[in-house]
Amino acid sequence: MLIPHPLLGLRDAQEFTYFGDASLLDRPDGMAEGASEQFHDYLYLRDNPAGEHQELWFHEQGDRSWLVVTRNTLTHEIFKVEFATDVALARRSAT
Amino acid sequence: MKYSAARLLWEGLTGHKGWGRTWRDPEPKTHYDVVIIGGGGHGLATAHYLAKVYGIRNVAVLEKGWIGGGNVGRNTTIVRSNYLLDGNEPFYEFSMKLWENLEQDLNYNAMVSQRGIMNLIHSDAQRDAFRRRGNAMMLHGAGAELLDAEQVRKEVPFLNFDNARFPIKGALVQRRGGTVRHDAVAWGYARGADQNGVDIIQNCEVTGFKIENGKVLGVETSRGYIGAGKVGVAVAGNSSKVMAKAGMRLPIESHVLQAFVSEGLKPTIPGVITFGAGHFYVSQSDKGGLVFGGDIDGYNTYAQRGNMPVVEDVAEGGMAIMPMIGRARLLRMWGGIMDMSMDGSPYIDKTHIDGLFFNGGWCYGGFKATPASGYAFAHLLATGSPHETATAYRLDRFKTGKMIDEKGVGAQPNLH
Ligand SMILES: Cc1cc2nc3c(=O)[nH]c(=O)nc-3n(C[C@H](O)[C@H](O)[C@H](O)COP(=O)(O)OP(=O)(O)OC[C@H]3O[C@@H](n4cnc5c(N)ncnc54)[C@H](O)[C@@H]3O)c2cc1C
């Protein structure tokens, strides 16, 4: 698998470590009402779709950036790659 | 029909014309007491024990493809009961006992071969950990032996004992472990279930559930609606997809695991050998092929094929412990979709929906569990309470802090 890094172009997936669903960016507020329930869902439950999946990859052996890769889990086709910081900031300003 | 040596002789003399079907191919009925989704090892074993042990015979197994087309026909066939934790070891030992009597129970040759499993030790710390695991195994009656390097050398002299990075210092051995012919397990359970009246319905994909007032009433399938008193889901890698149709999110990610087989060789490897410093395991099939594998690819996927880096990693593991493997040519490789759970241990539990039960999260170790999983799931479906060896496999264990993390790596499915 080759991952089209936004700055570095096509990079071998071997240079990255995989972390999982990009929902892990949406950390619940620990002070909120029902936080323990929310943390359970956040940490342990997954949509795990067959098809389009947004996921976190860390360019450990490259520029050490965190990326959000949008990928098809049935074909391994990659649709979009963004910096995780950009995605997190966009999500934060949307809420 | 009962299979026996006399029958084989008779059929041999009369041109093998009398064997007949191994199981029927019935049309689905409109309603069953229990519908099991997934005709893999676990679904079929569940049906067999439901009918034979718990006397519930109005049962259907719905399989979207064909029997044995899923992970039950794709695994590396290793069976063992060498776990450490209390939640796991009694369950896997129960499974081992069922394996030991499986062929008599099913009247089917599943080629259960207790050729032993040897986990290699490469450091002092690892010996300590394996000694502890061996003690846990002995406490549960599974049996274990700790060998030093010389004893290992006597049994498998061809290993690379003096590898500069990973010298072999000994091994933890379970003599009762071994291999079982995987397809035969699926076929044997299918035949056993069928003989007790279970309908095995292939090419029948479940596409939805009918749920009213918090109770499941039946399933929508590619062959029409089928009503059910209870529904048991055992679809391995497709667990999240199927349970999403009941509105549930699971503590599961789907990942691919690859396996490899070499050309047929003369008898070389006596039992199962696992590398302790990397992830590599190998055995030899009765046809002579070396059957081996390693880690999962490590990212979410539903494609039943993996990528090259893992092939390289597995080959390196093989070369590190057993350099002679480099002379063998690879014949075939394939992948299967693993239902990786959050702590590496499975779930056999009821759900918040009345009558809907779930079995999954088997990771890459569910083949050895097939008999106990089927037995325990049948017990749960029949009695409503968990089997005594499977009480820890709850879906809500992350809420209660009772996870069963054999490897101690936390909620990171691709590390288990
Ligand atoms: C390469 C590889 C090596 C492995 N090696 C080992 C090993 O050495 N030892 C070990 O213990 N375990 C091993 N495993 C794991 C083991 O094979 C699995 O954990 C186990 O087989 C899963 O249970 P099952 O047999 O019921 O799954 P499956 O055989 O996958 O059964 C699930 C069935 O559900 C069906 N299904 C899915 N969705 C639907 C639907 N909507 N409607 C109807 N049917 C549906 C599928 O078609 C499938 O047939 C390995 C797995 C793989 C892939």
Side-chain angles (χ1 to χ4, degrees), chain B residues 19-314:
Chain B
W19 288 115
R21 292 190 74 106
T22 307
W23 60 85
R24 297 164 296 129
D25 184 22
E27 283 299 310
K29 294 193 254 179
T30 52
H31 189 275
Y32 291 92
D33 293 344
V34 179
V35 161
I36 292 158
I37 309 175
H42 294 213
L44 294 165
T46 305
H48 169 73
Y49 293 115
L50 261 182
K52 186 159 182 175
V53 178
Y54 296 95
I56 299 177
R57 296 180 168 205
N58 186 19
V59 176
V61 178
L62 310 181
E63 165 55 48
K64 74 169 173 180
W66 64 95
I67 297 307
N71 292 339
V72 70
R74 292 167 185 266
N75 61 72
T76 41
T77 77
I78 301 166
V79 303
R80 56 189 172 87
S81 60
N82 56 1
Y83 283 70
L84 170 71
L85 299 179
D86 283 343
N88 277 330
E89 183 58 6
F91 174 82
Y92 286 101
E93 177 51 22
F94 177 51
S95 209
M96 183 57 80
K97 291 207 172 77
L98 291 169
W99 283 122
E100 286 172 332
N101 197 37
L102 183 82
E103 294 168 320
Q104 290 70 24
D105 180 31
L106 296 176
N107 174 233
Y108 200 86
N109 181 8
M111 295 164 70
V112 177
S113 168
Q114 294 182 290
R115 54 186 70 182
I117 177 162
M118 184 179 269
N119 303 125
L120 298 175
I121 295 170
H122 307 274
S123 67
D124 289 343
Q126 196 168 31
R127 185 185 297 107
D128 289 346
F130 278 16
R131 188 189 293 277
R132 181 170 173 230
R133 173 137 62 114
N135 283 333
M137 290 161 64
M138 288 197 280
L139 284 174
H140 291 286
E145 272 174 56
L146 200 64
L147 304 188
D148 64 22
E150 274 324 298
Q151 289 168 305
V152 176
R153 200 188 285 270
K154 238 181 244 154
E155 291 189 27
V156 280
F158 51 81
L159 294 181
N160 186 2
F161 284 84
D162 306 314
N163 181 312
R165 264 180 90 192
F166 307 118
I168 294 169
K169 300 285 192 189
L172 178 69
V173 175
Q174 186 184 24
R175 301 278 176 212
R176 291 164 65 231
T179 58
V180 183
R181 169 84 198 278
H182 52 4
D183 303 305
V185 172
W187 301 331
Y189 274 123
R191 177 169 169 271
D194 176 86
Q195 283 179 343
N196 283 317
V198 172
D199 284 357
I200 292 164
I201 297 159
Q202 305 186 66
N203 298 310
C204 181
E205 178 168 3
V206 171
T207 53
F209 295 92
K210 186 172 176 192
I211 297 166
E212 272 173 21
N213 303 323
K215 183 172 174 20
V216 67
L217 301 176
V219 293
E220 300 292 347
T221 80
S222 54
R223 294 175 68 172
Y225 175 77
I226 301 174
K230 289 176 185 169
V231 177
V233 180
V235 294
N238 285 295
S239 293
S240 298
K241 259 168 83 180
V242 171
M243 296 309 277
K245 302 203 163 94
M248 286 181 69
R249 287 174 82 215
L250 299 178
I252 285 179
E253 282 181 9
S254 294
H255 288 258
V256 65
L257 177 67
Q258 306 189 55
F260 309 83
V261 63
S262 78
E263 59 192 330
L265 304 169
K266 287 187 176 165
T268 330
I269 302 183
V272 181
I273 302 171
T274 76
F275 185 24
H279 205 170
F280 177 82
Y281 37 89
V282 61
S283 65
Q284 189 168 19
S285 79
D286 291 335
K287 270 195 287 185
L290 302 181
V291 183
F292 54 95
D295 269 324
I296 55 175
D297 274 41
Y299 43 80
N300 286 53
T301 177
Y302 283 88
Q304 289 189 111
R305 63 186 155 74
N307 268 306
M308 288 306 279
V310 166
V311 180
E312 191 181 357
D313 187 62
V314 170

Side-chain angles (χ1 to χ4, degrees), chain A residues 53-73:
Chain A
H53 188 229
Q54 285 202 321
E55 54 202 23
L56 288 164
W57 292 76
F58 177 48
H59 199 194
E60 188 164 25
Q61 291 172 55
D63 70 345
R64 305 189 67 78
S65 58
W66 280 93
L67 304 179
V68 172
V69 175
T70 308
R71 191 175 58 95
N72 186 335
T73 58

